[in-house]
Amino acid sequence: RKEVEQDPGPFNVPEGATVAFNCTYSNSASQSFFWYRQDCRKEPKLLMSVYSSGNEDGRFTAQLNRASQYISLLIRDSKLSDSATYLCVAAPSGGYQKVTFGTGTKLQVIP
Amino acid sequence: DTEVTQTPKHLVMGMTNKKSLKCEQHMGHRAMYWYKQKAKKPPELMFVYSYEKLSINESVPSRFSPECPNSSLLNLHLHALQPEDSALYLCASSLPGGELFFGEGSRLTVL
């Protein structure tokens, strides 16, 4: 079983739709969680950190459920520019350690 | 605009060549990382330097040799690479326990 699992997709959604991605992690020692987006042939860019209380940034909402060991990302009112691969990341507490990437979920927003 | 800069952006080399990838960050981060990413896969950790010392080596073949001249600079020396080493090489930096900030990457092709 992979340490961080994501549905690879692709998720093909029309503009304006709401789409949700889930990510599960198996290492209960993971303390910090992040969502990155990666455009084709570009570097990953941080989209959001994920907090236990949940956090929102414009059209994006991230949630963490420690009991069930999953993280979610909700995108409302999808734009064409949201088309990308979304990577879920779990990190151990503190220090400079190895983080674990999920395999990524591909989103394609269709006009 | 990324605050982690990598050069060169593209590199083509033969299996007998020696080349170097360079990375620089000006965010005052004390950890720097090298990742390798193949198409449709997540980034794969190669090396971590924290406080200018090598702290993690993910059993990378010796044909890849990292170097950290100071807290802002990170190099990856390449020698006798194989065609399967062709990939996007990403440099990143971070605060402790914090998110990774990636450079734009160096796309390497080994002939």
Side-chain angles (χ1 to χ4, degrees):
Chain A
R1 183 184 172 188
K2 293 193 173 87
E3 276 196 52
V4 177
E5 294 205 60
Q6 295 182 250
D7 182 339
F11 284 58
N12 296 313
V13 302
E15 270 187 289
T18 295
V19 61
F21 306 138
N22 286 332
C23 168
T24 57
Y25 62 96
S26 59
N27 186 349
S28 57
S30 297
Q31 292 293 320
S32 303
F33 304 90
F34 308 95
W35 283 103
Y36 284 77
R37 77 167 272 166
Q38 186 169 25
D39 294 290
C40 188
R41 299 179 68 81
K42 298 284 191 179
E43 78 278 19
K45 291 187 178 178
L46 179 70
L47 181 65
M48 299 178 78
S49 300
V50 187
Y51 306 117
S52 294
S53 54
N55 46 306
E56 187 173 312
D57 182 3
R59 298 180 294 108
F60 299 85
T61 300
Q63 295 275 356
L64 166 62
N65 184 318
R66 287 191 188 274
S68 301
Q69 296 189 193
Y70 80 80
I71 307 143
S72 63
L73 177 68
L74 185 77
I75 305 175
R76 290 180 298 278
D77 188 23
S78 298
K79 311 289 186 195
L80 295 176
S81 57
D82 294 333
S83 298
T85 295
Y86 290 82
L87 294 159
C88 170
V89 174
S93 62
Y96 300 112
Q97 299 184 52
K98 180 181 178 181
V99 305
T100 304
F101 283 83
T103 49
T105 297
K106 185 169 182 178
L107 172 66
Q108 185 69 48
V109 181
I110 304 162
Chain B
D1 289 340
T2 183
E3 294 187 71
V4 178
T5 54
Q6 289 185 242
T7 56
K9 287 191 169 30
H10 299 276
L11 179 62
V12 179
M13 60 186 290
M15 289 190 285
T16 59
N17 292 158
K18 284 186 181 180
K19 297 285 184 185
S20 297
L21 306 181
K22 297 185 182 301
C23 177
E24 187 170 8
Q25 59 95 6
H26 294 288
M27 291 182 284
H29 293 167
R30 300 313 300 269
M32 296 184 76
Y33 308 74
W34 279 115
Y35 281 85
K36 172 183 175 180
Q37 188 174 26
K38 303 280 268 185
K40 300 187 190 300
K41 298 286 188 184
E44 182 183 329
L45 182 66
M46 300 174 73
F47 302 104
V48 181
Y49 272 84
S50 54
Y51 297 93
E52 300 158 50
K53 293 194 187 311
L54 183 65
S55 55
I56 297 178
N57 176 342
E58 288 286 292
S59 302
V60 179
S62 60
R63 57 186 185 269
F64 294 92
S65 175
E67 179 196 16
C68 188
N70 60 53
S71 60
S72 299
L73 294 173
L74 186 66
N75 299 323
L76 186 63
H77 303 297
L78 314 171
H79 174 53
L81 295 193
Q82 303 296 311
E84 59 265 29
D85 296 323
S86 298
L88 180 67
Y89 288 84
L90 294 159
C91 174
S93 68
S94 79
L95 292 168
E99 59 268 33
L100 294 165
F101 291 86
F102 287 93
E104 293 182 350
S106 293
R107 191 161 297 279
L108 173 67
T109 303
V110 182
L111 300 176

